[in-house]
Amino acid sequence: MHRIIFFGTSEFAVPSLRSLLNDSRFEIVGLVTQPDRPVGRHAVMTAPPVKTIFNGPVLQPEKMSDPDFRTQTEKLGGDCDAFVVISYGKILPAWLLNLPKKGSINIHGSLLPRWRGAAPIQAAIAAGDTASGVTIMKIDEALDHGPILAIAEELIRETDSGGQLHDRLAELGGKMLPDILADYLDGKIQPREQDHDLATNCRTLTRDDGKLNFTKTSQELERQIRAYTPWPGTWMEWNGKRLKILEAKIAKDTDGKPGEILVNDRKPVLACAKGTALELISVQPEGKKAMSGIDFSSGVRI
């Protein structure tokens, strides 16, 4: 039986942790995850999703440099075969990566070396990629740079949001992981180097990244709206306030000024670059509930 410590935090890591817990080839001797955080308007302390499905020892260091964390991890993981790291949210130091016998393994939500970084799912949709996928790799000290154990492709649908693609890739990773990890630990798979010349990068997103840029065409902005749903969301300034754009589709070209909202057959149309336009299907004005574009255009003087 292979001894593993699992490092993970978000929903993306849950299918993979569950698949290892249900596989008799592995013993998950511990979980390392982010500390519980206050969530919502009432700041309710909430455990990371992975913590809710794990019954063994759990470590939740605020910092990787915490001496107590190092002591506990070395004690717990010194005889581990590997660490599995999925959507953990912190960079692991070299001493930690090299602690288990066969190193540390990661699942990344892209077809590496394309889209290294923190937001590969959003980046792939926003860029108009036709496919994304899951890469299982061995971690080295550079970001998403390590040698590859396996890749599986997932087509990006024309209607995919970032959340929808995220969920499919999370499940795909969970299905792949047990067999690939077991084969690697049994010496049946040799990691292969990435083609670093083909690498592209993406960065961590913030809510401010969701502001629509009207130098872009409707096709580019429609992809961004889907890619950034549910996080970080997209928005524009409207009458001095934020108007969240929840859903939109490409409309007929317009002669409106980019960033202007017009009404065409009672439907709100957002003018974009080069005469292109988006029909606003669902929006949320600042301080109000989400509403249809038609209700928005009926209730607001445009």
Side-chain angles (χ1 to χ4, degrees), residues 87 90 109 134 234 268:
S87 191
K90 293 181 183 290
V134 164
T234 49

Side-chain angles (χ1 to χ4, degrees), residues 22 44 55 89 102 128 180 200 205 218 223 226 236 256 258 287:
N22 292 333
V44 177
N55 294 321
K102 290 263 189 163
I180 297 301
T200 59
L205 295 171
S218 61
R223 292 198 305 255
R226 287 190 291 110
M236 60 180 288

Side-chain angles (χ1 to χ4, degrees), residues 171-295:
E171 292 296 332
L172 177 60
K175 291 176 182 178
M176 289 175 62
L177 179 61
D179 287 343
I180 297 301
L181 180 59
D183 284 349
Y184 167 67
L185 295 177
D186 291 338
K188 298 177 182 178
I189 294 177
Q190 294 301 317
R192 59 178 177 84
E193 195 74 9
Q194 294 186 37
D195 186 343
H196 302 297
D197 291 336
L198 299 179
T200 59
N201 297 280
C202 56
R203 59 181 177 79
T204 302
L205 295 171
T206 69
R207 288 199 183 277
D208 287 342
D209 290 310
K211 184 177 182 180
L212 297 182
N213 178 350
F214 294 107
T215 64
K216 296 182 178 180
T217 65
S218 61
Q219 185 180 48
E220 293 172 302
L221 292 180
E222 187 272 342
R223 292 198 305 255
Q224 181 183 347
I225 292 166
R226 287 190 291 110
Y228 289 11
T229 300
W231 172 260
T234 49
W235 57 278
M236 60 180 288
E237 292 181 359
W238 177 253
N239 290 340
K241 296 184 177 181
R242 284 195 180 193
L243 176 65
K244 293 181 180 179
I245 311 301
L246 305 179
E247 184 180 357
K249 66 180 182 179
I250 294 174
K252 293 180 180 179
D253 288 359
T254 179
D255 57 1
K257 179 182 177 181
E260 182 180 9
I261 298 178
L262 311 169
V263 176
N264 186 353
D265 294 330
R266 293 185 61 242
K267 298 176 182 177
V269 173
L270 175 61
C272 307
K274 299 181 181 180
T276 61
L278 289 172
E279 179 186 338
L280 300 180
I281 305 300
S282 178
V283 300
Q284 185 176 5
E286 186 174 330
K288 298 183 179 181
K289 295 181 179 180
M291 64 182 67
S292 71
I294 291 176
D295 286 346

Side-chain angles (χ1 to χ4, degrees), residues 71-192:
T71 299
Q72 291 172 308
T73 307
E74 288 178 339
K75 181 179 179 180
L76 191 62
D79 65 343
C80 278
D81 295 294
F83 293 164
V84 174
V85 184
I86 304 172
S87 191
Y88 172 52
K90 293 181 183 290
I91 301 297
L92 271 59
W95 70 263
L96 189 58
L97 292 176
N98 299 321
L99 185 60
K101 300 170 187 175
K102 290 263 189 163
S104 299
I105 305 303
N106 173 246
I107 289 183
H108 185 72
S110 82
L111 302 173
L112 288 174
R114 185 159 178 79
W115 301 128
R116 295 173 176 173
I121 296 171
Q122 294 96 326
I125 296 175
D129 292 0
T130 58
S132 181
V134 164
T135 301
I136 300 180
M137 56 178 285
K138 188 173 181 181
I139 305 176
D140 63 17
E141 292 185 55
L143 182 64
D144 300 327
H145 177 278
I148 292 171
L149 303 181
I151 289 182
E153 185 174 292
E154 174 72 21
L155 294 180
I156 297 177
R157 302 166 186 167
E158 291 184 357
T159 58
D160 267 337
S161 68
Q164 290 167 334
L165 183 57
H166 167 282
D167 292 349
R168 295 206 307 277
L169 294 184
E171 292 296 332
L172 177 60
K175 291 176 182 178
M176 289 175 62
L177 179 61
D179 287 343
I180 297 301
L181 180 59
D183 284 349
Y184 167 67
L185 295 177
D186 291 338
K188 298 177 182 178
I189 294 177
Q190 294 301 317
R192 59 178 177 84

